[in-house]
Amino acid sequence: MKFDTSLIKTKFIKRYKRFFVDVSLNNQILTAHCPNSGSMLGLLNEGEVAWISQSKNKERKLKYTLEILEHNNQMIGINTHLTNKIVEEALIDKKIKELEKFNEIKREVKFNDATRFDFFISNKKDQAFVEVKNVTLKRNKDFAEFPDAPTARGQKHLLELISAKKKGYQAFLIFLIQREDCNSFKISKDIDKKYYENFIEAKKKGVNFLCYSSKVSNKEINLKKKIEIKFE
């Protein structure tokens, strides 16, 4: 997934009102949109590098968007709006081995009156719903974790994937880590115990979980490698 425009290197100052960040460029303070509703735990460090994009839409109120934060010399993609684009390209290019048999790919497909899943994929024999979650949290040297804040929406998606499985569909949840310095993945049950409980229940009911890391640069973000999921 290549960025549409060249990213601008700035220094992070602060995040506020959830979807706003201030950054510094040549001693000028710029306000940018923050396309991430999570806590971004561990990433909001004043003075570290922040990469922003500039919108081509002249009517847009905030012309800048935060795309990447750097921490410990590691680039982390924080734009959750790009997550599905990265996964879609990987599906099309057959980079996700577990899903390479599916040839038809549809985005944002309605499952019921309350839920749309990120993808509906199919072939002549099988049909599957796929939900994707963006991961940025890393609290120790080995593990990436999700979520970084309690997520009622995420809890619901796990229950809906169980429902899809009961109705005869295959069901997948892909955790996309938008960083490349992780070797394992686990659910942060200390942050959201209910999500962990639903996660374990979904696994028991046959929902498939996959996790992949990303190669992140200021030019593009692409799927990198499969990451082991710890189910303890």
Side-chain angles (χ1 to χ4, degrees):
M1 193 287 310
K2 294 183 182 297
F3 288 104
D4 294 334
T5 60
S6 297
L7 298 191
I8 303 165
K9 187 176 182 179
T10 68
K11 293 290 185 181
F12 180 81
I13 299 175
K14 64 179 180 178
R15 179 196 193 184
Y16 56 101
K17 294 182 180 179
R18 197 177 186 188
F19 295 112
F20 294 82
V21 297
D22 283 348
V23 297
S24 174
L25 176 65
N26 298 326
N27 295 319
Q28 179 185 4
I29 296 176
L30 306 176
T31 298
H33 172 58
C34 177
N36 190 312
S37 61
S39 72
M40 296 166 64
L41 183 65
L43 301 180
L44 304 177
N45 303 301
E46 184 176 357
E48 292 193 318
V49 173
W51 294 87
I52 62 174
S53 61
Q54 183 172 350
S55 175
K56 297 177 182 178
N57 181 3
K58 295 182 179 180
E59 303 299 318
R60 182 173 153 175
K61 193 170 184 179
L62 286 178
K63 62 181 178 178
Y64 298 107
T65 299
L66 180 64
E67 303 286 358
I68 295 169
L69 288 172
E70 291 191 26
H71 181 58
N72 292 335
N73 298 314
Q74 174 67 39
M75 284 187 165
I76 300 105
I78 62 87
N79 189 342
T80 58
H81 299 167
L82 300 181
T83 310
N84 284 1
K85 292 182 180 181
I86 298 166
V87 171
E88 184 177 33
E89 284 189 6
L91 288 170
I92 292 170
D93 295 339
K94 306 295 183 185
K95 291 184 177 180
I96 302 176
K97 184 177 180 180
E98 298 86 352
L99 303 179
E100 63 183 3
K101 68 179 181 180
F102 295 99
N103 299 313
E104 296 294 325
I105 303 166
K106 296 180 181 179
R107 290 187 61 171
E108 294 292 330
V109 176
K110 184 177 179 180
F111 174 61
N112 56 35
D113 290 339
T115 301
R116 288 179 180 270
F117 286 120
D118 291 322
F119 296 98
F120 179 74
I121 55 178
S122 61
N123 56 30
K124 292 182 179 180
K125 293 183 178 181
D126 301 300
Q127 297 178 320
F129 284 103
V130 180
E131 183 66 14
V132 181
K133 297 300 180 187
N134 189 68
V135 180
T136 61
L137 178 60
K138 182 185 180 186
R139 292 187 288 181
N140 63 52
K141 64 179 181 180
D142 294 320
F143 290 95
E145 298 179 73
F146 181 88
D148 64 2
T151 170
R153 185 168 180 266
Q155 295 167 14
K156 186 195 80 166
H157 280 147
L158 288 168
L159 298 179
E160 296 287 25
L161 286 170
I162 293 173
S163 296
K165 184 69 178 176
K166 288 179 178 178
K167 291 183 178 182
Y169 297 99
Q170 293 186 37
F172 293 86
L173 196 154
I174 300 174
F175 295 102
L176 180 71
I177 306 171
Q178 278 206 61
R179 56 194 300 164
E180 55 181 306
D181 59 345
C182 304
N183 296 314
S184 301
F185 170 84
K186 65 180 180 180
I187 300 300
S188 49
K189 56 185 175 182
D190 62 316
I191 293 177
D192 192 338
K193 183 179 178 182
K194 186 62 178 177
Y195 188 89
Y196 175 76
E197 291 171 351
N198 289 0
F199 170 77
I200 294 300
E201 182 65 17
K203 182 178 183 294
K204 291 177 181 177
K205 295 296 175 62
V207 175
N208 299 286
F209 293 97
L210 303 172
C211 183
Y212 281 82
S213 64
S214 304
K215 175 71 174 177
V216 181
S217 75
N218 63 334
K219 303 293 184 184
E220 59 187 352
I221 303 176
N222 295 307
L223 208 73
K224 185 180 181 184
K225 66 177 182 179
K226 186 177 180 181
I227 298 296
E228 180 186 8
I229 299 176
K230 300 290 187 179
F231 289 97
E232 78 277 5

